Amino acid sequence: MSLLTLLGLAGLTGGLALAQAPAAPASPAVQQSGDSIAPADIAAVAPFAGTAVERFGVREMFVQADLVVKSVMIFLVFCSLLTWAILFEKLWAFSTARRRNRAFINAFRHGDTAQLTEQASGSAVGRIWQAAQAELKHFDHHRGSNVTADQINRLLQRMSLSASVVQEGDLSRLGAMMGVLATIGATAPFIGLFGTVWGILNSFAGIATMKTASLAVVAPGIAEALLATALGLFAAIPAVMIFNKFARDINGFVGTLDNFCAELLATVSRQMDEAR
């Protein structure tokens, strides 16, 4: 242990002595080689130091783009904003329609006539019920003393037709702007591709004008052109997904209306049989 302690103290003392010793001057050969390398290094690093400050982002691509490419980009951004506006409007419309339909169907199944009359005009199933009630009142006003089965069948057919007319009107209102979503989803990639082709044509025209095929000449135009394609996909992909989502919702809404129509006709038929 004593020997190890002495060796440690000796090593520590030697290290302190080396640390306090002045640095030896470099040899002339090394200084000359360093002097000859330094300007070359500075010259090599200088261009990169200048270009590192420059930035070529999306904003710069849009500002430097051709007028046609810029118009394509603006149109695609407008299509994207319209798609998201339709999404929020449809979400609100479908949620409101579902809530009102559920409330009216519950009132119908509980036989609350006052609540049915109050909520009829605010829901699709309520408007179907109103059309069926109008046909039923007309039948009660014009029927004779004896009601035959054929008359009841014709009444149920008229009620079904009236309900179908009302149902088509409600589905048309819910399906509004769905064609716009389908159009954006189908055409936006091709519109962006048109902007891309136009931008690449301008890039090749620049090569012919400047008589150089340098990447620095071609790259900005190609980047602007590819930005148009990216915007086309950015507008088309959400439009297709939103269209498919609301197409499924409309199919479910159709099922709800068809089921209510069947339930309504069955209730009227049962009442007619009991009255006979």
Side-chain angles (χ1 to χ4, degrees):
M1 293 294 295
S2 301
L3 181 60
L4 291 175
T5 304
L6 291 174
L7 290 174
L9 291 174
L12 180 62
T13 308
L16 291 175
L18 290 174
Q20 293 175 359
S27 62
V30 175
Q31 289 180 355
Q32 291 177 1
S33 62
D35 294 340
S36 61
I37 292 173
D41 292 339
I42 295 172
V45 173
F48 294 99
T51 56
V53 182
E54 297 180 2
R55 184 178 180 275
F56 192 71
V58 175
R59 181 178 178 274
E60 287 76 15
M61 292 180 193
F62 175 78
V63 172
Q64 298 179 21
D66 183 74
L67 181 60
V68 176
V69 181
K70 194 177 294 185
S71 301
V72 170
M73 292 181 185
I74 293 173
F75 178 74
L76 291 174
V77 170
F78 170 75
C79 290
S80 180
L81 294 176
L82 181 61
T83 298
W84 292 106
I86 293 173
L87 170 65
F88 293 120
E89 189 272 333
K90 290 297 179 187
L91 288 175
W92 179 82
F94 274 91
S95 62
T96 303
R98 291 192 194 97
R99 184 178 67 253
R100 292 179 177 178
N101 285 344
R102 284 195 299 265
F104 187 87
I105 290 173
N106 291 332
F108 175 78
R109 290 173 179 171
H110 288 87
D112 191 350
T113 307
Q115 192 174 2
L116 288 175
T117 305
E118 181 181 354
Q119 298 180 358
S121 60
S123 62
V125 293
R127 286 184 284 272
I128 290 175
W129 179 81
Q130 283 181 329
Q133 289 298 311
E135 289 293 335
L136 187 58
K137 289 179 181 179
H138 184 271
F139 177 79
D140 290 337
H141 183 71
H142 292 89
R143 73 176 183 177
S145 57
N146 295 324
V147 179
T148 63
D150 185 59
Q151 290 176 330
I152 295 176
N153 289 332
R154 289 199 298 270
L155 170 64
L156 295 177
Q157 290 177 1
R158 289 193 298 271
M159 292 175 65
S160 178
L161 291 174
S162 300
S164 298
V165 173
V166 176
Q167 179 177 342
E168 289 298 325
D170 284 300
L171 292 177
S172 297
R173 283 190 291 272
L174 282 177
M177 304 300 289
M178 292 291 287
V180 175
L181 289 177
T183 303
I184 292 175
T187 60
F190 297 101
I191 296 173
L193 183 61
F194 167 74
T196 299
V197 173
W198 190 272
I200 292 175
L201 287 175
N202 288 334
S203 298
F204 281 107
I207 292 174
T209 302
M210 301 182 68
K211 294 182 175 57
T212 177
S214 175
L215 188 61
V217 177
V218 183
I222 294 178
E224 298 160 7
L226 294 177
L227 178 61
T229 299
L231 289 176
L233 296 176
F234 180 77
I237 293 173
V240 173
M241 297 175 66
I242 294 170
F243 176 84
N244 292 334
K245 183 254 188 304
F246 288 120
R248 292 192 300 270
D249 290 346
I250 289 176
N251 290 334
F253 198 80
V254 170
T256 300
L257 298 184
D258 289 339
N259 292 336
F260 178 77
C261 289
E263 186 176 355
L264 177 62
L265 294 177
T267 302
V268 173
S269 177
R270 188 183 307 112
Q271 292 174 354
M272 288 292 180
D273 289 339
E274 292 173 355
R276 292 176 63 190

